[in-house]
Amino acid sequence: MPGLTIGDTIPNLELDSTHGKIRLHDFVAGVGEHGLVIIFSHPGDYTPVCTTELAAMAGYAGEFEKRGVKLLGISCDDVQSHKEWIKDIEAYKPGNRVTYPIMADPDRKAIRELNMVDPDEKDSSGQLPSRTLHIVGHDKQVKLSFLYPSCVGRNMDEVVRAVDALQTAAKHTVATPANWKPGECVVIPPGVSDEEAKKKYPNGFQTADLPSHKGYLRFTKV
Ligand code: BEZ
């Protein structure tokens, strides 16, 4: 069976965290209409790549807050371990305070329900989390997921870019092309006819002249 994926509602789990008990649906309920929650797992506390990732995430906290995005970490170490490890993370990048909660999943039930299990990483208590990151909408549905193995640290610029792309797509009924950055042209989705597009996009649109002449690649500005 495939695990939690795009369009699925996240399970309403209750877990201990460095900020006390967290019930996932209540946590998501705190974001606005275009707000998002990022739930991101890491294989384990006191490991090198994870330390760099959580410090980097702490450094981007202001960027996420500006966009109405709440952060929520998780791994299967316990809360006391997370709290002690945060001292290392903050010492590694002075000034980057870990203000987001990190949940504990010592029995590894939540990482299975959240599709965050790394099939190749185990410790004496069982399987460890992969570097999974789910971006969840205010409707509690998964909008986008990253699934990285333990050997590849995530790029937080790409996480911010994905948030910008999701929010732009949702606000303006558009899609974002490869390597898009805020301010660049977006594309008009295939389900929108040229007639509808003329009414819908105040800045007009340009259709790429391609050999097929099918007129499906249309750019606009939002
Ligand atoms: C790390 O965070 O460095 C790491 C964790 C588990 C396996 C490999 C690397």
Side-chain angles (χ1 to χ4, degrees), residues 2-105:
L4 189 75
T5 189
I6 296 173
D8 289 347
T9 299
I10 57 164
N12 193 16
L13 305 171
E14 185 176 80
L15 292 168
D16 277 331
S17 84
T18 49
H19 292 199
K21 282 216 184 301
I22 288 185
R23 185 167 276 282
L24 291 185
H25 285 193
D26 293 343
F27 193 82
V28 175
V31 301
E33 190 195 342
H34 292 294
L36 298 163
V37 171
I38 294 179
I39 310 176
F40 60 103
S41 60
H42 56 273
D45 297 357
Y46 300 104
T47 54
V49 178
C50 301
T51 302
T52 63
E53 282 193 317
L54 272 76
M57 209 44 142
Y60 279 75
E63 289 301 316
F64 290 117
E65 196 180 339
K66 268 197 269 180
R67 291 163 171 81
V69 176
K70 289 169 74 180
L71 302 175
L72 185 54
I74 178 170
S75 85
C76 38
D77 295 295
D78 62 30
V79 167
Q80 194 49 37
S81 166
H82 291 338
K83 284 183 174 168
E84 290 298 321
W85 180 43
I86 285 172
K87 296 176 192 164
D88 281 6
I89 298 169
E90 292 182 345
Y92 166 64
K93 284 282 175 197
N96 290 8
R97 301 277 330 282
V98 178
T99 51
Y100 54 82
I102 307 174
M103 299 186 294
D105 181 32

